[in-house]
Amino acid sequence: MTKLVGRLFVLDASGGRVFSMNPDGSDSKTLVTGCRIPDGIALDLEKGHFYWTDMGVPNRNDGKIERADLDGRNRTTIIPEGATFTPKQIHLDSANHKLYWSDREGMRVMRSNLDGSQIETLVDTSQGDTRPGADARKWCVGITVDADRGHIYWTQKARTTASRAGSSVRISIFPRARMLPIAGHDRLVRRAAGADRPGARSENRHLYWTDRGDPPRGNTVNRTSIDGKPAQDIVLSNLMEGIGIALDVAGDRMFVTDLAGSVYCAKLNGSQKRVLAAAQGNLTGVAYAEITSTEKK
């Protein structure tokens, strides 16, 4: 007998691994090891894959993107070293069969087909700077895609965690359009984490992101409306270098990871925060999905 069960997929940068667990923190299983500073993760339930980025060494052009089956088998590299500099967060657009990612030291937003072919640079934030990653304000970090409305959202890092120079930016996918800053984001925006459900009413559509900046505004989860009057709300605080975030809109909950090694769960409004796991390494990306499980009668 088969049924759908919730499952979290988490990246441990210090341990160089991908692991999964139940959304209550139980049944933790290591799926892949030997990663080189994994940072972003995306799930392809239709094909039964997960994709993740390996940052590599930040001052070298040796980042890559890998793929494996949901059980960790059939691991393969789809974006090889040299094709992207320091890939960070990644987003899968299943409707158009594309992968999107931010390249930090490469100072660009990129995409490819799901098999790694047809690599494109959509946005170049270098402004002619040939020194990879020299100016942190040009780093692209978080990314998400609203395929229904044809928009890409990505984040520009601030120079330091104390700076208020970070921003979130939007462009159209088809055709390409000028960059549009999202009003109200006048400070470090570390990880943009996905528009709300496609097709949801406009007043309910939000961007969520984690902020590694200094307290009191930093170490938080924030959100803002995509369609309504721009306003930045802190919905979760007291993180220890918050990094990854995944939304389960149907279940009215978010999952958040931090560099101190904790996985948190809370409602989308930030209430009922609890720790699901602790001391798991330096945690970066996280993804949530309901996957098919086979049970014996």
Side-chain angles (χ1 to χ4, degrees), residues 96-280:
N96 297 297
H97 310 290
K98 292 285 187 179
L99 287 171
Y100 291 78
W101 67 93
S102 289
D103 184 348
R104 190 178 69 183
E105 269 74 11
M107 300 172 286
R108 54 192 168 178
V109 174
M110 306 183 73
R111 76 175 172 190
S112 74
N113 293 331
L114 298 184
D115 63 359
S117 62
Q118 197 175 334
I119 301 172
E120 301 176 85
T121 295
L122 300 179
V123 179
D124 183 348
T125 63
S126 68
Q127 299 175 333
D129 193 342
T130 60
R131 303 165 300 162
D135 186 346
R137 293 170 298 181
K138 298 176 181 177
W139 289 359
C140 302
V141 183
I143 193 166
T144 193
V145 176
D146 182 354
D148 282 359
R149 301 198 178 194
H151 291 149
I152 308 167
Y153 296 83
W154 77 95
T155 60
Q156 297 286 145
K157 196 180 187 300
R159 182 176 292 276
T160 68
T161 56
S163 172
R164 298 179 62 85
S167 62
S168 180
V169 182
R170 183 182 78 188
I171 64 169
S172 294
I173 303 174
F174 308 112
R176 296 182 189 176
R178 66 185 180 90
M179 294 183 289
L180 300 173
I182 308 304
H185 294 185
D186 62 348
R187 49 186 298 286
L188 175 62
V189 179
R190 172 60 175 159
R191 288 279 199 275
D196 213 326
R197 287 179 295 184
R201 291 184 301 171
S202 61
E203 60 265 29
N204 290 335
R205 300 176 73 248
H206 290 82
L207 283 172
Y208 284 72
W209 69 92
T210 57
D211 186 335
R212 290 180 63 192
D214 294 334
R217 300 290 299 180
N219 279 313
T220 55
V221 173
N222 299 253
R223 71 177 178 185
T224 191
S225 171
I226 295 174
D227 304 302
K229 182 179 180 181
Q232 179 177 323
D233 298 318
I234 293 176
V235 295
L236 203 66
S237 57
N238 298 317
L239 303 176
M240 298 294 290
E241 299 276 346
I243 300 287
I245 182 169
L247 304 182
D248 172 19
V249 177
D252 186 27
R253 57 184 175 175
M254 70 177 85
F255 300 96
V256 182
T257 58
D258 65 20
L259 286 183
S262 295
V263 182
Y264 305 89
C265 181
K267 287 187 173 294
L268 292 178
N269 65 6
S271 65
Q272 299 183 27
K273 173 187 171 186
R274 64 187 188 278
V275 177
L276 303 179
Q280 297 298 305

Side-chain angles (χ1 to χ4, degrees), residues 2-13:
T2 61
K3 68 174 184 177
L4 292 177
V5 297
R7 198 75 181 168
L8 287 169
F9 293 77
V10 186
L11 302 181
D12 172 13

